[in-house]
Amino acid sequence: ILGAFSAAVPGGAARRLDLARPVGDRRYFAGEATSVTAFGTVHGAWLEGERAAAAVLARLAGGGCGPAFTARPREIPIPL
Protein backbone atom coordinates (compact mmCIF):
# COMPACT_ATOMS: atom_id res chain seq x y z
CA ILE A 1 0.00 0.00 0.00
CA LEU A 2 1.56 3.28 -1.08
CA GLY A 3 -0.99 5.70 0.42
CA ALA A 4 -2.05 9.20 -0.53
CA PHE A 5 -3.15 12.49 0.96
CA SER A 6 -5.12 15.53 -0.17
CA ALA A 7 -3.83 18.92 -1.19
CA ALA A 8 -5.83 22.01 -2.12
CA VAL A 9 -4.79 24.35 -4.87
CA PRO A 10 -3.51 27.72 -3.61
CA GLY A 11 -6.49 29.65 -2.25
CA GLY A 12 -8.76 26.60 -2.38
CA ALA A 13 -8.56 25.36 1.21
CA ALA A 14 -11.98 26.83 2.05
CA ARG A 15 -13.53 24.47 -0.49
CA ARG A 16 -12.93 21.60 1.95
CA LEU A 17 -16.20 22.61 3.61
CA ASP A 18 -17.93 21.99 0.28
CA LEU A 19 -16.51 18.46 0.23
CA ALA A 20 -17.87 17.81 3.72
CA ARG A 21 -21.37 19.14 3.04
CA PRO A 22 -24.01 16.38 2.85
CA VAL A 23 -25.66 15.74 -0.51
CA GLY A 24 -29.37 15.38 -0.04
CA ASP A 25 -30.44 13.34 2.95
CA ARG A 26 -28.44 10.21 2.23
CA ARG A 27 -24.85 10.93 1.22
CA TYR A 28 -22.36 12.08 3.82
CA PHE A 29 -18.66 12.47 3.13
CA ALA A 30 -15.71 12.24 5.47
CA GLY A 31 -11.97 11.82 5.36
CA GLU A 32 -8.84 13.87 5.65
CA ALA A 33 -9.74 15.78 2.48
CA THR A 34 -12.79 17.27 4.23
CA SER A 35 -10.85 18.43 7.30
CA VAL A 36 -10.22 22.17 7.53
CA THR A 37 -7.53 21.92 10.20
CA ALA A 38 -6.00 18.44 9.84
CA PHE A 39 -6.05 17.71 6.12
CA GLY A 40 -3.57 15.14 4.91
CA THR A 41 -3.46 13.35 8.28
CA VAL A 42 -4.89 10.20 9.83
CA HIS A 43 -6.29 12.11 12.80
CA GLY A 44 -8.02 14.50 10.36
CA ALA A 45 -9.67 11.52 8.70
CA TRP A 46 -10.66 10.10 12.09
CA LEU A 47 -12.21 13.37 13.31
CA GLU A 48 -14.06 13.86 10.05
CA GLY A 49 -15.41 10.32 10.30
CA GLU A 50 -16.72 11.15 13.76
CA ARG A 51 -18.28 14.36 12.41
CA ALA A 52 -20.00 12.57 9.54
CA ALA A 53 -21.23 9.77 11.81
CA ALA A 54 -22.69 12.34 14.22
CA ALA A 55 -24.40 14.08 11.30
CA VAL A 56 -25.94 10.78 10.15
CA LEU A 57 -27.16 10.03 13.69
CA ALA A 58 -28.63 13.52 13.97
CA ARG A 59 -30.40 13.02 10.64
CA LEU A 60 -31.79 9.65 11.71
CA ALA A 61 -33.05 11.24 14.93
CA GLY A 62 -34.91 13.83 12.84
CA GLY A 63 -32.62 16.75 13.52
CA GLY A 64 -31.30 17.35 10.01
CA CYS A 65 -27.56 17.92 9.81
CA GLY A 66 -27.75 19.80 13.09
CA PRO A 67 -24.75 20.88 15.09
CA ALA A 68 -22.75 17.87 13.96
CA PHE A 69 -22.04 19.66 10.67
CA THR A 70 -21.49 23.13 12.11
CA ALA A 71 -19.32 22.16 15.10
CA ARG A 72 -16.08 22.50 13.17
CA PRO A 73 -13.17 22.93 13.38
CA ARG A 74 -12.38 20.97 16.53
CA GLU A 75 -9.28 21.11 18.67
CA ILE A 76 -7.00 18.21 17.91
CA PRO A 77 -4.99 16.81 20.80
CA ILE A 78 -1.43 16.11 19.72
CA PRO A 79 0.64 13.92 22.03
CA LEU A 80 4.11 15.24 22.84
Side-chain angles (χ1 to χ4, degrees):
I1 299 174
L2 298 176
F5 63 93
S6 65
V9 296
R15 299 296 307 250
R16 293 181 187 281
L17 290 174
D18 293 336
L19 291 174
R21 197 170 315 283
V23 176
D25 291 338
R26 296 185 180 259
R27 286 183 242 155
Y28 293 79
F29 297 96
E32 48 87 21
T34 63
S35 177
V36 177
T37 59
F39 47 87
T41 65
V42 172
H43 61 273
W46 181 278
L47 293 173
E48 287 299 297
E50 288 181 339
R51 176 204 44 84
V56 169
L57 290 174
R59 174 68 179 111
L60 291 174
C65 293
F69 184 73
T70 58
R72 305 170 72 221
R74 180 174 137 186
E75 285 295 320
I76 302 167
I78 300 174
L80 297 175

